[in-house]
Amino acid sequence: MIATLRGRVTGWAGLLGGLMVVGAAAVTFVLWPAFRRADRALEPFDAIFPVLAERQAAVVSGIDRLARRLDVTTSPIDTTPWRPPTIPSLLATYAGALTPEAAVTLAAVDEDLAGLEAQLGLAYAALESGGRARARAVLQGVRQREAGLALRQRDQMAVALRTGAEARAEVDKALSTATRLALLWLGLVTAAVGLLAWDLRRHVLLPVQALQEGVERLSRGDWSRNVAEVGDIELRRLARHFNGMVEILRRRAGRQAQFATAGELLSGAAHELNNPLQTLQALAELRRGMATGQEAADWEAVYIATTRAARLVHDLGHFARTSRPTALVRNLNAIIRSAMNLVQFQFAADGIEVQLDLSERLPPVLCDDHDLVQALVNLLSNAHAAVRGRPQPRRVTVTSWRADDAACVRIQDTGPGVPVDVRAHIFDPFFTTKDDGAGLGLPSARDIIEGEGGRIVLDDTITGASFTIRLPAAPGLQVDAPPVPPPVVATTGNGRSLEGLRVLVVDDESAVRDVMRRFLEREGARPVLAGGGEEALRWAERQEFDAVLLDLRMPDIEGARVYDRWARERPGLAERTLILSGDLSRLDTSAPVPAHRILTKPIELATLREALLALRSVV
Ligand code: ADP
């Protein structure tokens, strides 16, 4: 844009400058010869007139002195002899510059003066030799001739005036031509300035305005129209880039809308899946403890498969979360594993080896795990794209370690690495070297990590690419959950540790209620079943319970509301309540439930048993 402006202004300045030079040259060209000619025509008169005037003055003074000497009454008598002034006649010098008429007139005056000078000399000579009468007579003749000279001088003046008038007319003509030229020139300059304004408006101002309107439209959320690609090359390129950027954002927004919808569907589906998975997993856990031989092995296989499925559903549901971010104390390894769970299928499909080298000595970090999983998935996806389709070894290594007051993770790949000339730009929004890239993976990962008070850097490597993330430790805090996967504690099936425990099981899903009942009865507990929030509230009014297992999502009254009510009216019972849910995104923030009271479905019976035992020790 600056180049466009500079180019146009320079072009126009050149044109205006050229016009000025041409205008000045034209005026000079017209006026100069006229002035020169006038000067030449008048110059001889200028030079010759003073000479003739001086000679005439000398003649007049000679006549005057002679008359005094002849008049005896006048005294004292000046006896200096008369001499004509010795001034060269300039007639020959200017012969070529004079018009014939002027030459004749001036020559006549010159001749007259010469005659007068000669006669006056004779008169003086006669007086010197004592011939006063003769001198007087000659003087008489000189006087008459001098009177004739005046007439000739009138002619001479007339010629000079005519020459002057002609010269002036010529100068006037030149001046009027110059005036016309100047007016024409002014007209041209005005037109050029008008054209300049029109040109700047059309090629600079309007395209810039169009861009500005486009940006304003975008900021109002109207993505429907592109900016017109007009103006000079530079502005057209700017508009094209702008439209390209809008297109990427449009596609991205479309994809995000799809993601958001898919996320909601996924989150709902995860919840729906969690209940059958809970039933299956609990059943398998119960039956494998009771069966023997092949049947026990079969139930063990079902148990392992459902546990894997449950973990994947949990991670997917968590990734697709639609709720607001919340920072909690977490274990970074758990977050890394969640991210790995989400991408490992892609890695396996493309024959990419994944090496996890995670330190168990990591300090807990305070962060929103959903966001952090997203950042790690971005980095892992980039690593996947970098090594996919390349010759072996195709490997991605994820390493975590403790560094003083921080938990660190490095994601390294055996791809081509980041070229030196793009290293400085990879964190810039919309920077991409991929045909189908959006250029938002790294900037959004950096935003998330810096938002958690951490740092992400691209390491200096000779081969492949390597990114290191450093998250500050959460000092003095406990990790809210043990690193996943939680250790599988096998139920013994014989220790009736929950003996006599009165447990209210609240779940709208009858299969879940049923399996819970079987598990609790096997453990010696005394379960009471409720199919919804209202029924739970009624049971709690009727009798005392040592523990409540409360589902979160129920059609009549949500579990969080039931808990909230007990927290206000029956704090003792709220203390003995555990929330069991597969859909934490639905946790109503206006009815907060303490994090340590929440167990995610599907839960292993061994873990549930531990949680109930912990409650029993409180009772
Ligand atoms: P996108 O993946 O859509 O291009 P990103 O912001 O995630 O956007 O990445 C920006 C650019 O950084 C990529 O286009 C690529 O050039 C470079 N990059 C990121 N990760 C890697 C990697 N692991 N290996 C090589 N280049 C990478």
Side-chain angles (χ1 to χ4, degrees), residues 65-141:
R65 269 194 297 118
L66 186 61
R68 282 171 185 271
R69 281 180 67 182
L70 289 175
D71 182 1
V72 284
T73 58
T74 328
S75 61
I77 295 166
D78 180 0
T79 55
T80 325
W82 186 79
R83 293 214 197 305
T86 50
I87 310 169
S89 162
L90 295 172
L91 278 177
T93 315
Y94 288 103
L98 286 167
T99 58
E101 187 194 12
V104 169
T105 316
L106 288 175
V109 174
D110 181 67
E111 211 176 279
D112 277 0
L113 274 171
L116 275 170
E117 283 162 356
Q119 260 192 315
L120 205 54
L122 282 177
Y124 267 89
L127 183 63
E128 295 303 326
S129 57
R132 289 179 78 86
R134 166 128 179 89
R136 202 170 273 125
V138 175
L139 180 62
Q140 185 65 27

Side-chain angles (χ1 to χ4, degrees), residues 377-445:
V377 165
N378 289 356
L379 292 173
L380 289 166
S381 300
N382 277 345
H384 170 260
V387 293
R388 182 182 45 195
R390 285 179 63 83
Q392 289 289 0
R394 290 195 286 272
R395 191 181 318 117
V396 174
T397 312
V398 183
T399 319
S400 73
W401 71 96
R402 180 188 193 120
D404 300 332
D405 57 346
C408 303
V409 53
R410 171 171 300 148
I411 296 174
Q412 230 171 330
D413 63 60
T414 54
V418 183
V420 179
D421 53 328
V422 306
R423 291 178 72 96
H425 306 292
I426 56 171
F427 287 103
D428 294 347
F430 306 111
F431 176 84
T432 182
T433 54
K434 302 172 188 164
D435 292 340
D436 59 345
L440 290 170
L442 288 180
S444 87

Side-chain angles (χ1 to χ4, degrees), residues 432-517:
T432 182
T433 54
K434 302 172 188 164
D435 292 340
D436 59 345
L440 290 170
L442 288 180
S444 87
R446 188 184 54 185
D447 280 356
I448 289 170
I449 288 154
E450 289 183 354
E452 309 288 8
R455 260 166 56 77
I456 174 170
V457 289
L458 169 66
D459 303 314
D460 268 331
T461 45
I462 299 170
T463 56
S466 169
F467 291 86
T468 297
I469 296 172
R470 189 188 161 95
L471 288 163
L477 291 171
Q478 293 293 308
V479 184
D480 66 329
V484 268
V488 178
V489 184
T491 42
T492 54
N494 45 24
R496 296 165 67 85
S497 51
L498 300 179
E499 190 71 56
L501 199 72
R502 292 163 299 171
V503 185
L504 175 61
V505 178
V506 190
D507 204 306
D508 58 331
E509 194 106 355
S510 65
V512 176
R513 284 198 306 270
D514 194 48
V515 78
M516 286 294 164
R517 180 185 58 76

Side-chain angles (χ1 to χ4, degrees), residues 259-275:
F259 281 153
T261 318
E264 271 172 36
L265 286 174
L266 204 62
S267 154
H271 175 255
E272 293 310 319
L273 272 174
N274 275 331
N275 279 336

Side-chain angles (χ1 to χ4, degrees), residues 68-355:
R68 282 171 185 271
R69 281 180 67 182
L70 289 175
D71 182 1
V72 284
T73 58
T74 328
S75 61
I77 295 166
D78 180 0
T79 55
T80 325
W82 186 79
R83 293 214 197 305
T86 50
I87 310 169
S89 162
L90 295 172
L91 278 177
T93 315
Y94 288 103
L98 286 167
T99 58
E101 187 194 12
V104 169
T105 316
L106 288 175
V109 174
D110 181 67
E111 211 176 279
D112 277 0
L113 274 171
L116 275 170
E117 283 162 356
Q119 260 192 315
L120 205 54
L122 282 177
Y124 267 89
L127 183 63
E128 295 303 326
S129 57
R132 289 179 78 86
R134 166 128 179 89
R136 202 170 273 125
V138 175
L139 180 62
Q140 185 65 27
V142 168
R143 277 207 166 119
Q144 278 168 6
R145 204 161 175 171
E146 206 261 333
L149 179 66
L151 283 176
R152 288 219 188 278
Q153 275 175 330
R154 224 179 41 223
D155 292 348
Q156 171 195 303
M157 282 311 291
V159 169
L161 282 174
R162 239 188 338 268
T163 311
E166 275 165 17
R168 196 203 142 130
E170 201 170 340
V171 168
D172 278 353
K173 203 167 128 201
L175 269 176
S176 88
T177 310
T179 309
R180 272 202 305 277
L181 276 178
L183 284 175
L184 179 73
W185 176 80
L186 257 181
L188 280 177
V189 169
T190 313
V193 169
L195 273 175
L196 163 72
W198 173 83
D199 181 63
L200 285 181
R201 193 179 138 74
R202 186 182 142 87
H203 291 103
V204 180
L205 196 68
L206 290 182
V208 169
Q209 256 174 12
L211 258 181
Q212 191 188 343
E213 279 165 17
V215 173
E216 278 172 8
R217 260 204 318 273
L218 254 190
S219 69
R220 286 196 306 269
D222 175 2
W223 300 60
S224 56
R225 269 181 300 145
N226 277 357
V227 172
E229 292 175 17
V230 289
D232 270 17
I233 298 172
E234 199 193 10
L235 283 164
R236 264 209 307 272
R237 207 168 42 217
L238 194 64
R240 198 164 45 244
H241 286 331
F242 181 81
N243 285 337
M245 195 178 84
V246 172
E247 185 53 38
I248 289 175
L249 288 175
R250 214 182 267 147
R251 259 189 278 142
R252 180 97 190 159
R255 249 186 281 162
Q256 258 165 7
Q258 278 174 351
F259 281 153
T261 318
E264 271 172 36
L265 286 174
L266 204 62
S267 154
H271 175 255
E272 293 310 319
L273 272 174
N274 275 331
N275 279 336
L277 279 172
Q278 173 71 78
T279 313
L280 258 178
Q281 193 189 32
L283 255 180
E285 206 175 342
L286 271 176
R287 297 301 297 268
R288 85 175 168 185
M290 289 153 60
T292 52
Q294 184 56 45
E295 199 189 340
D298 289 347
W299 282 116
E300 177 65 18
V302 174
Y303 174 73
I304 291 172
T306 40
T307 307
R308 257 189 65 195
R311 193 164 300 143
L312 181 64
V313 166
H314 170 264
D315 289 338
L316 272 176
H318 195 60
F319 189 71
R321 178 194 73 178
T322 47
S323 60
R324 273 176 290 164
T326 18
L328 287 176
V329 181
R330 320 268 182 191
N331 181 297
L332 181 58
N333 284 345
I335 294 171
I336 296 171
R337 287 198 178 95
S338 287
M340 279 311 310
N341 272 346
L342 292 170
V343 292
Q344 70 185 17
F345 301 106
Q346 283 172 289
F347 282 83
D350 290 314
I352 299 165
E353 182 196 342
V354 180
Q355 270 185 7

